[in-house]
Amino acid sequence: MTGKLPFALTRDKTFYESLNEWIGDTLYDDLTEKGFDCRDEQIYMSFQIEQALREKEVLFAEAGVGTGKTIAYLLPAIAYARYTGKPALISCADETLIDQLVKEEGDIRKIGEALELTIDVRLAKSRDQYLCLKRLEEMNRIGEEYAENVEDSLPDFVYGPASLSEVYPYGERSSYPDLSDGEWETINYHPIQQCGGCDLRNRCGQTIHRSEYRKAADLIICSHDFFMEHLWTKESRKRQGQLPLLPEVSMAVFDEGHLLEYAAQRALTYEVQDSTLLGLLERVMTDGVREQTLQLMEQLMECHELFFDYLSECAQEDGEERLAISKSAELVNTAREAVRLSNALLEEFVFDSELYVIPEYDLRMVEEYLEQYIFSLELFSDNAEAVDWAEDREGELTLVIMPRLVTDVLQERLFSEKLPIIFSSATLSVQNDFSFLANNLGIEHSVSFSIESPYDYEEVMDLTIESLPEDGKMNRLVELLNDGEQTLVLFKSKQSMENFRAQLPEGHLPFTAFEGDRELSSIVKEFQAKQWSAFCSYHLWEGLDIPHDALTRVVIYDLPLPPADPLFNAKRSHAESPFEEVDLPYMLLRLRQGVGRLIRTATDSGSVHILLNPEESELVPSFESIFPVAPKVKS
């Protein structure tokens, strides 16, 4: 049900005029009287968002740390949602940022209490953030202890006789903080699951959560990943008679909006793994399956394994996560043969389905996967416009195909709509130029502003750029960590972080947390509670909010240049000056974000250390002027 507007509408004023007045009264008077800071930067930002709502525009709202960006967009978003009768969407960079936004001491709760507003806010997390009961059952059959513990913690209604009126949301990743990422990825939702035909669907945590957030009146909060999955699957789900993942919204706010492009890249890809097809086909090799079908399955399995043998030979190991593929004639021809066999097998499954010898759920799952498998390999073997690469994931090779650069898709499916869209971040521009982000996202028309942080960085931040010998970074970082100061260490990639971990003296390991060892938000909470003195991460260049003495030092271990992988190489191929148009803007934005992790409130202080090898040191002139304080450069 739509909530009541927080202000009265009159005949002599439009909604937007009334909204403008309410924003001013609220930020200048009402919230100030309740102890909130009166910030001119915040008020300016909120007024600019009201104007963007009025004109249905795309707005780049770049505002420094301490501006109060969240409250600046929440006020107009809540009012606009109630005026239109559709919830406003707040999309965050990842699940950790979502948790920070809705936590007990978060801004949504604060303004609700201060303004005596009951704000209906609901979370829509990415599908891989939910438990899959089918995959949990598989891990229990194998005898995994962690799976048994998860099953023991499930609500009684999942397998019990309780009525559906007694169900409630459960099964989020954050509910299982002690599971490592690797363990979680064996029991969470996976795209091959045939949810539509699942006999546990009505008791599934993901289904229950989806039903809950569809009822939101004011705000739906999701991750960029989930929003992009919604955008990518919206039309196909409609064609299949399914509801889109998200309901229709009145406006969209992309918090840490500069990261939307990378979420789009993850969503707009197809993946093929060696083990997935083999495991699915083995599931349907049951007694009673016709001989012709069995022979085709065996032939496809042999062809598929041969394809991955060739792929392994053609994937170029160059230290990057995305491996370039040098396509040989054998690799391409084998892909085409796998497509031919898959099409033939789908035809045979039509006859087997009438015999009812293969469980319907398993058969539908295999058929759906084969259709995606065929489409993926056709793109790989015959589409020159597609971008493809290989990734080594926990020792298993994965083929990844992106049919189009995300610019085209976003332009077509998001920015052609007359939907007010707000990009909010402290770092959206490169020296007040927003064209890098706008061009990457396919945005042709937008408005923008940039306002500085109100904090006096000269008084509270000490920034040092250290040029070190080739092998000097490791020793310097260990030297810094020896004093036990609360330190965030940022790496450009997972591989860089793992290389550091492998060399770290054992005496430091009990005091150092590493991203990926367990659920990320739980590690963040433990670090904030000072259970760890050092926190190593390759993702948290942005969005991490740890104030006061829980974080007093940030160490940047690598310059965050984009990798020389097929995806970025495709972007470089479309640029006249690849370094200036692709590599440098990317690095500058990441550096500004990384340094921005240190000062989160008016009482924070600390130091930043940027460690450089000789090659990286040559780039110092290109970035030393972008920081809020002048750095000390040491050789």
Side-chain angles (χ1 to χ4, degrees):
M1 180 180 291
T2 304
K4 182 181 177 182
L5 279 172
F7 51 84
L9 287 180
T10 60
R11 292 184 178 180
D12 60 330
K13 292 180 183 176
T14 68
F15 163 77
Y16 300 101
E17 291 170 333
S18 299
L19 172 61
N20 189 288
E21 289 184 2
W22 177 71
I23 289 172
D25 291 343
T26 301
L27 293 176
Y28 277 120
D29 299 323
D30 299 344
L31 290 182
T32 304
E33 291 171 3
K34 298 292 178 66
F36 289 71
D37 293 333
C38 183
R39 305 169 182 173
D40 290 337
E41 299 89 353
Q42 182 184 65
I43 296 166
Y44 177 82
M45 177 175 172
S46 202
F47 282 147
Q48 293 303 305
I49 292 174
E50 178 269 313
Q51 185 67 28
L53 296 179
R54 185 192 301 252
E55 303 297 334
K56 308 290 189 296
E57 292 176 315
V58 174
L59 170 66
F60 290 116
E62 182 176 64
V65 177
T67 303
K69 293 184 288 294
T70 307
I71 291 177
Y73 67 64
L74 282 175
L75 292 178
I78 293 166
Y80 195 64
R82 296 186 176 188
Y83 173 66
T84 60
K86 301 174 188 174
L89 179 82
I90 312 295
S91 179
C92 301
D94 56 36
E95 312 301 335
T96 304
L97 296 179
I98 292 176
D99 290 336
Q100 290 187 9
L101 191 58
V102 299
K103 60 186 178 182
E104 291 262 338
E105 64 274 23
D107 286 333
I108 294 176
R109 186 181 183 91
K110 285 179 181 177
I111 63 171
E113 292 176 349
L115 300 178
E116 298 182 357
L117 285 175
T118 300
I119 302 172
D120 184 11
V121 54
R122 309 196 186 199
L123 306 187
K125 294 191 175 184
S126 298
R127 292 199 281 181
D128 62 6
Q129 292 295 305
Y130 295 107
L131 181 70
C132 173
L133 296 174
K134 289 290 188 182
R135 299 187 76 207
L136 179 63
E137 289 175 353
E138 291 176 7
M139 287 300 105
N140 268 314
R141 283 196 291 269
I142 295 172
E144 294 289 354
E145 183 177 355
Y146 66 85
E148 183 178 343
N149 293 336
V150 170
E151 185 172 272
D152 289 343
S153 71
L154 294 176
D156 292 339
F157 65 74
V158 174
Y159 293 112
S163 69
L164 292 181
S165 63
E166 300 172 10
V167 304
Y168 54 85
Y170 74 96
E172 295 175 84
R173 172 65 174 107
S174 56
S175 300
Y176 310 102
D178 293 331
L179 292 182
S180 70
D181 286 353
E183 291 169 339
W184 173 253
E185 286 166 7
T186 66
I187 60 174
N188 67 339
Y189 166 82
H190 190 280
I192 68 168
Q193 298 305 121
Q194 181 55 245
C195 296
C198 180
D199 57 328
L200 295 170
R201 184 177 183 184
N202 289 336
R203 313 268 172 157
C204 168
Q206 181 183 166
T207 302
I208 296 168
H209 274 277
R210 192 174 301 165
S211 176
E212 284 293 307
Y213 71 66
R214 286 187 187 285
K215 302 171 186 174
D218 293 327
L219 302 173
I220 294 178
I221 303 179
C222 71
S223 67
H224 293 347
D225 284 337
F226 188 63
F227 177 79
M228 290 311 308
E229 185 179 1
H230 157 72
L231 199 67
W232 186 233
T233 61
K234 182 178 178 180
E235 295 306 319
S236 64
R237 291 179 67 88
K238 284 182 177 179
R239 288 194 297 270
Q240 296 167 14
Q242 299 176 317
L243 289 172
L245 294 176
L246 289 168
E248 191 174 350
V249 297
S250 56
M251 63 174 292
V253 176
F254 294 108
D255 202 337
E256 302 294 350
H258 62 288
L259 296 176
L260 186 65
E261 178 192 3
Y262 308 110
Q265 289 169 354
R266 289 188 291 269
L268 308 185
T269 56
Y270 296 92
E271 297 183 359
V272 180
Q273 287 184 312
D274 188 8
S275 62
T276 305
L277 178 67
L278 301 180
L280 287 172
L281 291 179
E282 287 172 356
R283 290 178 67 152
V284 295
M285 284 180 162
T286 58
D287 292 337
V289 174
R290 295 176 310 119
E291 184 66 25
Q292 189 169 353
T293 305
L294 285 173
Q295 288 179 0
L296 272 173
M297 283 196 279
E298 290 170 355
Q299 290 173 29
L300 177 56
M301 292 169 77
E302 291 176 5
C303 182
H304 176 77
E305 290 190 296
L306 181 61
F307 172 80
F308 270 87
D309 288 341
Y310 286 135
L311 182 64
S312 180
E313 294 173 4
C314 295
Q316 301 170 12
E317 292 282 353
D318 53 8
E320 303 293 352
E321 292 183 20
R322 301 185 187 104
L323 309 178
I325 301 169
S326 177
K327 295 181 183 178
S328 66
E330 293 88 353
L331 179 64
V332 172
N333 290 334
T334 306
R336 290 171 178 160
E337 177 63 9
V339 168
R340 186 191 68 80
L341 291 169
S342 298
N343 279 316
L345 184 57
L346 283 174
E347 292 178 7
E348 295 302 322
F349 278 151
V350 174
F351 299 105
D352 287 280
S353 65
E354 296 173 355
L355 300 176
Y356 300 104
V357 295
I358 303 175
E360 182 182 3
Y361 176 82
D362 290 345
L363 181 58
R364 289 181 61 183
M365 186 160 59
V366 173
E367 287 176 332
E368 185 171 301
Y369 182 78
L370 279 178
E371 289 171 357
Q372 179 193 311
Y373 180 77
I374 291 166
F375 183 71
S376 301
L377 290 190
E378 284 179 338
L379 282 174
F380 176 76
S381 58
D382 297 319
N383 189 336
E385 295 298 316
V387 181
D388 47 56
W389 63 89
E391 295 182 12
D392 185 342
R393 297 182 181 172
E394 306 296 331
E396 182 174 23
L397 201 61
T398 299
L399 173 65
V400 185
I401 306 110
M402 181 185 295
R404 301 158 64 188
L405 288 175
V406 298
T407 304
D408 302 330
V409 178
L410 290 174
Q411 192 175 59
E412 174 187 313
R413 302 193 184 188
L414 178 58
F415 299 116
S416 62
E417 302 286 332
K418 203 64 176 169
L419 181 76
I421 295 175
I422 314 300
F423 286 86
S424 171
S425 177
T427 50
L428 294 175
S429 71
V430 178
Q431 297 176 332
N432 292 328
D433 181 359
F434 294 86
S435 60
F436 175 69
L437 182 58
N439 292 340
N440 285 350
L441 293 173
I443 299 173
E444 295 180 344
H445 306 288
S446 63
V447 292
S448 62
F449 68 84
S450 182
I451 47 180
E452 297 293 330
S453 168
Y455 297 154
D456 185 355
Y457 283 96
E458 294 287 350
E459 293 292 323
V460 296
M461 178 188 288
D462 182 50
L463 195 156
T464 305
I465 297 173
E466 303 187 34
S467 296
L468 300 164
E470 191 65 48
D471 58 352
K473 285 189 182 184
M474 176 70 193
N475 293 336
R476 177 57 177 147
L477 180 52
V478 171
E479 181 184 335
L480 287 168
L481 296 182
N482 279 336
D483 62 11
E485 186 174 341
Q486 289 293 111
T487 302
L488 171 68
V489 187
L490 294 172
F491 298 84
K492 69 177 181 180
S493 66
K494 181 179 180 180
Q495 181 177 351
S496 176
M497 185 187 77
E498 293 300 338
N499 290 343
F500 168 75
R501 189 211 293 251
Q503 301 175 63
L504 185 65
E506 288 189 7
H508 284 276
L509 290 174
F511 312 103
T512 306
F514 289 87
E515 177 182 345
D517 284 353
R518 289 180 300 107
E519 195 268 331
L520 187 56
S521 65
S522 64
I523 300 178
V524 170
K525 290 174 184 175
E526 291 168 359
F527 178 67
Q528 189 164 358
K530 299 185 180 180
Q531 295 180 32
W532 311 95
S533 61
F535 181 14
C536 296
S537 173
Y538 55 95
H539 271 139
L540 294 177
W541 290 79
E542 65 282 311
L544 184 68
D545 193 358
I546 299 181
H548 312 310
D549 63 349
L551 175 60
T552 56
R553 181 166 59 202
V554 173
V555 178
I556 294 177
Y557 194 78
D558 313 284
L559 281 187
L561 286 161
D565 64 22
L567 180 56
F568 275 97
N569 285 341
K571 295 178 69 172
R572 293 180 183 106
S573 70
H574 289 80
E576 292 183 6
S577 302
F579 182 78
E580 287 75 13
E581 296 177 35
V582 178
D583 297 65
L584 184 59
Y586 177 94
M587 180 188 75
L588 296 180
L589 284 175
R590 295 286 271 182
L591 280 174
R592 289 178 63 201
Q593 282 284 346
V595 170
R597 295 315 92 214
L598 182 65
I599 306 300
R600 308 306 301 170
T601 73
T603 60
D604 292 354
S605 63
S607 63
V608 177
H609 298 259
I610 302 176
L611 309 184
L612 306 178
N613 61 30
E615 183 179 356
E616 292 171 323
S617 297
E618 295 177 4
L619 295 175
V620 169
S622 67
F623 66 79
E624 63 182 334
S625 64
I626 67 169
F627 304 113
V629 297
K632 303 170 187 173
V633 181
K634 293 183 178 180
S635 298

